[in-house]
Amino acid sequence: MKKNCVSTILVFCLIFISNSVLTSRESAENRNTDINIVLAHGIFGLNTVGSTNYFNGVERHLKNNHNAKVLITNVSPVGSIRERGNQLRQQIINAINNPDEYPFFNPKAPIHIIAHSMGGLDSRFILSPANPDNIANLITSLTTIGTPHKGSPLADLFFLGVNPLVELLNLWFNIDEFMKSLSELGIKKDGIHDLTIVAMRNFNQEYEDNPNVSYFWVAGIGRDGSLNKTSHALSLTHAYIKIVTQEDNDGAVALSSAKHGEAIGEPWFADHLDQVGHDLDHPPSGIPENFNYLVKYDEIIARIQSIQSD
């Protein structure tokens, strides 16, 4: 059972992986840019995926193809929305207030947040008028990718009582033992609790959107083809969410839960980690074979840049 719990922790980490790797510093003299981008990561993370970043190749792509300055944020991988949000807010402020330090934001260019998974909730928290310390005056738009705006059944697993589906999953791994293993690793469950359906219902009631910020969403619905909906690592979670919600999902978040604001194109044929450039069938550095995720980031940039002319 211990072996199963260790394997499950690994899969869960891969579902909600985060990153703290910063790329090479640039010359402070090269600040002329069209757009400033903040990349906000998800929950429950590893510091690196091999030698690659969480947003695998996205920073380089945005710099080379869109003349962007990119801030890769690094918040608590296991904290609550409030804790992570406060850290995210401070890192954005630091980037703005320290023009001679990486990433050398252009003060004359707009700032847009692109957030994956829980990073979208951290971002909503720091933009909401209900937060007295909100920084909505500094941010033009927020685009969330695979964010559980209405919670995730995966988070509910660890806080439900008797449930037939939970009992079924207990045949694969013991949930109580899993949570004990997390505790032994020093991993708090605050962040997991914040992703439950009830917790997100309360969050949505308290933290309304800021009317001065444009909100966009992207969702994954699994890989194309009925026999290849997700990577092998997410096949069980994809099936579980499908049973619980009767919806397409990316192996972590149901389609309806990922919707918030205006859609950017159609849902992606991608699982939860494909969305940020990681193929869990070929870890740690494999990229999705049949999903050109960087082109999808081009679509995001095109839409958020068009805000200025809307």
Side-chain angles (χ1 to χ4, degrees):
M1 187 63 70
K2 281 287 187 181
K3 182 178 179 180
N4 285 343
C5 277
V6 171
S7 299
T8 304
I9 289 174
L10 176 60
V11 170
F12 205 78
C13 287
L14 289 173
I15 292 174
F16 297 113
I17 202 166
S18 70
N19 167 74
S20 64
V21 178
L22 294 179
T23 56
S24 61
R25 273 47 177 165
E26 303 171 69
S27 168
E29 298 176 357
N30 183 24
R31 290 197 201 106
N32 185 28
T33 184
D34 297 327
I35 191 171
N36 300 308
I37 298 292
V38 175
L39 296 178
H41 65 70
I43 190 178
F44 211 72
L46 305 172
N47 285 336
T48 62
V49 188
S51 60
T52 60
N53 287 347
Y54 178 86
F55 289 89
N56 192 7
V58 174
E59 178 186 23
R60 184 186 314 111
H61 183 79
L62 297 182
K63 288 179 177 179
N64 293 341
N65 293 276
H66 300 284
N67 193 30
K69 286 294 180 285
V70 183
L71 170 64
I72 299 178
T73 57
N74 177 34
V75 302
S76 169
V78 294
S80 65
I81 293 173
R82 179 179 295 274
E83 177 184 356
R84 289 165 50 95
N86 285 334
Q87 293 170 356
L88 175 63
R89 172 185 179 275
Q90 191 58 54
Q91 289 172 36
I92 293 173
I93 291 175
N94 288 345
I96 295 171
N97 291 343
N98 296 283
D100 293 328
E101 298 179 8
Y102 173 87
F104 315 125
F105 271 177
N106 178 0
K108 297 181 180 180
I111 300 174
H112 302 268
I113 301 175
I114 299 176
H116 182 244
S117 197
M118 191 178 183
L121 305 178
D122 307 332
S123 302
R124 285 179 56 196
F125 171 71
I126 65 173
L127 298 176
S128 175
N131 182 347
D133 296 321
N134 78 79
I135 56 171
N137 63 309
L138 303 175
I139 306 299
T140 299
S141 77
L142 166 63
T143 300
T144 60
I145 304 173
T147 291
H149 295 286
K150 296 179 181 178
S152 171
L154 293 188
D156 281 1
L157 274 176
F158 305 103
F159 300 94
L160 292 174
V162 178
N163 180 292
L165 288 175
V166 173
E167 295 306 313
L168 179 62
L169 284 178
N170 265 320
L171 297 177
W172 179 53
F173 75 101
N174 186 292
I175 292 175
D176 291 336
E177 190 171 323
F178 175 83
M179 294 304 289
K180 180 180 179 182
S181 298
L182 291 184
S183 178
E184 291 173 352
L185 291 173
I187 298 175
K188 301 174 292 184
K189 59 182 182 180
D190 299 23
I192 300 175
H193 182 270
D194 277 1
L195 299 181
T196 61
I197 292 172
V198 171
M200 278 310 304
R201 185 180 302 129
N202 294 333
F203 177 89
N204 289 328
Q205 291 174 350
E206 182 175 1
Y207 294 103
E208 71 274 17
D209 289 346
N210 198 300
N212 298 316
V213 176
S214 296
Y215 293 81
F216 302 98
W217 65 269
V218 172
I221 54 174
R223 297 172 178 176
D224 195 11
S226 60
L227 298 180
N228 187 30
K229 295 298 286 186
T230 63
S231 56
H232 295 306
L234 301 186
S235 59
L236 182 64
T237 58
H238 178 273
Y240 175 72
I241 295 174
K242 181 71 172 181
I243 293 171
V244 172
T245 67
Q246 297 298 300
E247 293 184 36
D248 287 325
N249 66 86
D250 63 8
V253 180
L255 176 58
S256 65
S257 184
K259 296 180 178 180
H260 191 85
E262 176 190 323
I264 296 183
E266 297 297 320
W268 294 356
F269 284 116
D271 70 23
H272 200 64
L273 268 295
D274 290 338
Q275 296 161 9
V276 287
H278 295 282
D279 182 354
L280 293 188
D281 287 335
H282 302 92
S285 58
I287 62 174
E289 293 182 350
N290 300 308
F291 175 65
N292 193 338
Y293 67 101
L294 293 177
V295 167
K296 296 300 184 180
Y297 281 84
D298 291 337
E299 294 175 3
I300 291 174
I301 296 299
R303 180 63 189 98
I304 63 179
Q305 284 188 317
S306 72
I307 295 172
Q308 307 305 320
S309 57
D310 281 355

